[in-house]
Amino acid sequence: MNKNNPIITVVIPTRNRPDYLKQALQSVLGQDFQNKRIVVIDNAPDIVAQTVVEEIGGGQVEYIKFDEDTGIIGGWNRAVEICDTKYLSIFHDDDVMLTGFLSKSVTALEANPSAMMSYAQANKVDSQLNYISIWSDLYLRKGLIRGGDYLMYIIQNGCCVTIAPTVVFRRSVFDKVGMFIDELCYNSFDLNMWIKIANRFDIFFLKEILVHYRLHEKQMSQKHWFTKGYPTGRLATMMELIHATQLLLKKECIISDPKRQRFLINKISEFNKLASGYARSLISGL
């Protein structure tokens, strides 16, 4: 690792998952891209991750401990704050980077200065890293994607097509669009960021599987997306998509195109109906 002039900071927020953290950290250390800074930020009141960092990091990994509970959004914003490099990866402590993730992400952003973030494909795996399926079959063309095209695509498909651990940001984007917030819903704050970035900038898509995304019972996604009869994730997604549609309707290319205007207005109605159905399943008598 080039400690004197790193170009990307990989921050791993962690909380009480030492076994998973070991695998995540090993996968980052094993990347072929050397010009990186690695930081583990520990938000755990009980199981301290410092021992894991010292054991696995070999002096190559920084460790920061927070005494207060920052929550996931607070942890991600701390990651942005401590990043002093051109690029930033906020990597999950329970996922695994595959070979070439950092080098290919940085290369793509270096070659495409209008793109403010990149993302890649991922495998969904179980707790033991056994393959379950690909993250999604809904993919845009590979390469540079205009922000408006990205918004239109997620609206057409009615879902998020970008999974957080595959994302690499230009650090400067947060100076332009702000930090992570639960503007609409707590469990869709990452999709909220993708929408804010795409509203103003381009995105680059690496159509290649470069991350193992682990599914297990202790993750946030398990509760909000994979618990039967508890569609809070889908409800939050509908709210974010309504917001994305409203942003797109304000763009000149849409204002001058009545056909696409009608399509987007109909989509708002569709998302509202879906959101109502999800809300009724959660709140009896609504």
Side-chain angles (χ1 to χ4, degrees):
M1 180 173 72
N2 187 337
K3 295 183 179 180
N4 297 319
N5 189 32
I7 193 172
I8 186 169
T9 301
V10 180
V11 180
I12 307 177
T14 191
R15 182 181 173 87
N16 295 341
R17 294 198 284 222
D19 292 335
Y20 290 158
L21 175 62
K22 286 181 182 180
Q23 293 177 315
L25 191 50
Q26 287 170 333
S27 74
V28 176
L29 287 163
Q31 291 291 301
D32 56 1
F33 190 82
Q34 298 302 308
N35 199 6
K36 59 185 180 290
R37 176 190 178 199
I38 307 172
V39 185
V40 171
I41 55 176
D42 188 0
N43 191 32
D46 303 318
I47 305 172
V48 179
Q50 187 169 8
T51 303
V52 174
V53 172
E54 292 174 351
E55 174 189 343
I56 304 297
Q60 300 181 70
V61 181
E62 300 171 45
Y63 173 77
I64 299 174
K65 178 74 171 70
F66 298 128
D67 293 327
E68 76 279 14
D69 185 357
T70 62
I72 186 171
I73 296 178
W76 284 33
N77 284 331
R78 292 289 182 90
V80 175
E81 291 166 358
I82 66 175
C83 177
D84 58 359
T85 55
K86 188 175 182 180
Y87 301 113
L88 169 65
S89 164
I90 303 175
F91 198 69
H92 294 172
D93 66 347
D94 52 354
D95 294 333
V96 173
M97 279 187 189
L98 300 181
T99 302
F101 172 71
L102 292 180
S103 59
K104 292 177 180 180
S105 299
V106 169
T107 297
L109 290 170
E110 288 282 280
N112 295 274
S114 69
M116 297 302 281
M117 64 174 260
S118 66
Y119 73 102
Q121 290 178 292
N123 284 330
K124 288 189 288 188
V125 298
D126 66 16
S127 61
Q128 301 302 312
L129 299 180
N130 297 308
Y131 175 80
I132 298 173
S133 67
I134 198 168
W135 160 248
S136 172
D137 292 326
L138 298 174
Y139 292 112
L140 281 163
R141 65 187 183 280
K142 65 180 179 180
L144 187 69
I145 303 168
R146 299 302 177 191
D149 291 341
Y150 179 90
L151 292 179
M152 182 62 79
Y153 195 73
I154 64 173
I155 290 164
Q156 287 173 333
N157 287 282
C159 67
C160 177
V161 299
T162 302
I163 189 168
T166 72
V167 171
V168 170
F169 303 97
R170 289 188 194 276
R171 169 60 182 83
S172 60
V173 75
F174 299 100
D175 300 324
K176 303 175 189 298
V177 304
M179 304 289 269
F180 294 100
I181 57 172
D182 54 346
E183 180 180 5
L184 297 176
C185 296
Y186 181 79
N187 63 54
S188 60
F189 76 93
D190 51 354
L191 174 56
N192 183 267
M193 179 59 75
W194 318 154
I195 290 170
K196 286 194 291 190
I197 292 174
N199 184 48
R200 296 178 56 185
F201 305 104
D202 298 335
I203 290 172
F204 195 94
F205 173 45
L206 291 153
K207 196 172 184 178
E208 185 175 350
I209 295 169
L210 294 173
V211 169
H212 283 329
Y213 176 70
R214 194 190 312 254
L215 302 182
H216 59 94
E217 61 182 12
K218 294 182 179 180
Q219 67 186 154
M220 181 177 174
S221 298
Q222 187 68 33
K223 176 181 178 182
H224 294 292
W225 272 270
F226 305 121
T227 299
K228 188 176 181 180
Y230 195 73
T232 50
R234 292 297 299 164
L235 175 58
T237 299
M238 293 305 107
M239 296 174 70
E240 299 290 355
L241 290 174
I242 290 168
H243 178 54
T245 308
Q246 291 170 333
L247 291 173
L248 205 50
L249 279 166
K250 296 177 183 179
K251 294 189 178 296
E252 183 59 39
C253 62
I254 301 298
I255 293 172
S256 60
D257 188 335
K259 184 177 179 180
R260 290 207 289 175
Q261 271 191 321
R262 288 192 297 272
F263 170 80
L264 291 172
I265 291 169
N266 288 335
K267 275 294 183 181
I268 288 179
S269 178
E270 176 188 327
F271 295 149
N272 272 323
K273 288 179 181 178
L274 287 168
S276 176
Y278 294 135
R280 289 182 182 189
S281 70
L282 288 166
I283 305 172
S284 177
L286 183 66

